Amino acid sequence: MSLPPEKASELKQIIHDHLLKMDIHGRIREVLAETVRNDQGGAHRALSETDFLHALQRRGIIEDVMKDLHFTQVGHHAAGRLQTGSPPKPATHFVDKNITLLQKTDIDPSRRHLYVQVLGGKAFLEHLQEPEPLPGQVCSTLTLYLHFRNQRFRSKPVPCACEPDLKEGFLLEVYRDGTGGCGKMADATAMLSLCDPVHLVLIRTDTSGETALVSSYFLDWRAVLGSPSGKTCFAVELMGVGSECKVPAGVLTVSLELFPPLTETLSAAVVSTQQSLERQRTAEKERLFLVYAKQWWREFLEIRPSNQSKMVKIFAQDENGVNRPTCAYVRVLRAGRLLESPRQAARFVSLLAHEKAPVVGGGGKQEQWCTLMAFLCRGKGDCEDHAALLCSLLLGFGLDAYVCVGTKAKGAPHTWVLTRGTDGSITFWESLTAHRYLHRAIDPDAPPLAPQPKPSSPYRTVGCVFNQQSFLANGQPSDAVELCVFDFQNQSRWKAMSEEALKSVCAPGSTASLPPLPPLCAPSLDPAAASNQLELEMRFLVSEHRKDLELATVWDDHLSYLLSSALSAYELERCTGVSCGNEEFQDAVRRAVPDGHTFKGFPIHFLHRNARRAFATCLRSVFCEEIVCCRGDHVRLAVRVRVFAYPENACAVWLMFACKYRSVL
């Protein structure tokens, strides 16, 4: 028997409420802990789903659930009621259309796991006036993202509310450094030395799909090590970001539990002492680096008074208003199988939208460098975020890469990436567009008639360059990019900071306050399905637009299919810088367009998948409007959409409109 969507939602809600009433989570946890304890006596083996179901059956939990669960007006009664026209009861909860099926996994009883459970939110006062969403209504949502020791998770989106229904569980593996995947189980003492926090990032998505960073919080999970029951529950106050970093955004109730439970727990005093020592050690390292940075800056100013005006960026504030050395924002990041080349990495970074940090009121630009996790979850950021990510990826590909801080046209502050070849060649990478520029410096001492290279890049001045282990300030008489020689070993041109000093605060694990580096996530988007869906929507919009103009619409499916090769070639060119396949496309179009007919095509590129927004943008082009509103004899229209998916669900969307018609003189 198939149920309509609203009935299926109602049925799920009844079962969900019943399970909550029975405290099924608590009973399952008890059985799981007991099963793991019993299994520890024998040889260590992975607990399978079947073993766990047998344990639940032995305890009679499954029988209790089925015995107490009663449905009324189900089956033929429900069908009859629907046929009589009785209105179905609406679903009382938000339905996530983009459901990612969770993979079932066996819990290895020889490995330690941390179960982080979010039990709900409250006091999100910004959404106090938010109306209750109606069933099926599109509404703004909140999504919680989590990162812990190379593991990333996300919650299902829930409607924005003063008390959002954020209820999720995340099973995290706690492993010791150097043990890989087969070391002995981490005990309480070993886990106490793991200062990696659980990074929580809360993102709001509005009805048009635009995202905003609500909060970024580092949760120290080690309080559970001092809990006699092996479980602890507490409230986490999330603060705002940027200019609102001192204002509470809301409160989450969080429960932490260890599996298997600890045989010996630590005292709460030991845990708090360890945390206090780490804070003191971090504060001392940061204080010593600040003293060194001040002395280094004084020395730099003594070289030349004009150095005062150069853009030398030693520190930058993150989304929480914390001052960090700029070198801490760059790390060696390897993308595994997700990205195949440095140029593909540049293409991926350019697909993350560019947006300056939001500021309330006027007063110019609000500076905010985001941690990598916050940038990836939000899917957009400023040029500094893009440049730091691209530099990290290029370092992962083995290049000698640096972030440059300077200005572009009209003196606007900007950051970009520089790579140095083994032959001394200098290449600039624009992280917002993936464009590359070969730098050749002008020799100011050359004779007046000697040929000089023309500036190829849009950059005007450069004040400093840095990566994860180096920071160099431009000490040359002029900071103009066209005159700059990027010979970093020449101390008269570039003043370097001590690598040891930088390592003390920027190296991985050097301080407890350094945000951990998250891995990139593979795309969950199906490019073919997304392309088909967007193409159908575009066909509908074109047909409706032409109907308003009292024009008929006849589609040519064969011509639409031929446009695919052009769109594929455009994306390949953006990735590699090499154009190919154009001859085949032109030949195919000539064969598809009869003699005496005219062909017109209009390709365009987007970073989003909103059909109405894309169509409105297309119509602003005179060339596109000519095609969409084409009048004539034997007019045939074609449209093709190709969605190319990259890590983090970043999308390159290529769209092409075309038409052919008989030319009438």
Side-chain angles (χ1 to χ4, degrees), residues 209-274:
E210 290 295 311
T211 57
L213 180 62
V214 177
S215 184
S216 172
Y217 184 85
F218 295 95
L219 172 68
D220 194 332
W221 54 276
R222 291 173 295 177
V224 73
L225 301 176
S227 172
S229 64
K231 182 180 178 180
T232 182
C233 186
F234 51 89
V236 170
E237 185 179 43
L238 302 178
M239 306 303 284
V241 294
S243 57
E244 300 175 24
C245 62
K246 305 295 184 189
V247 182
V251 176
L252 289 181
T253 304
V254 176
S255 166
L256 303 176
E257 189 171 3
L258 287 170
F259 288 109
L262 291 171
T263 51
E264 292 182 14
T265 58
L266 303 172
S267 71
V270 169
V271 176
S272 63
T273 301
Q274 172 70 14

Side-chain angles (χ1 to χ4, degrees), residues 616-638:
T617 304
C618 291
L619 287 181
R620 286 200 285 270
S621 164
V622 177
F623 303 107
C624 181
E625 191 182 23
E626 278 183 11
I627 294 171
V628 172
C629 306
C630 181
R631 299 170 184 265
D633 184 24
H634 208 261
V635 175
R636 296 292 181 268
L637 292 170

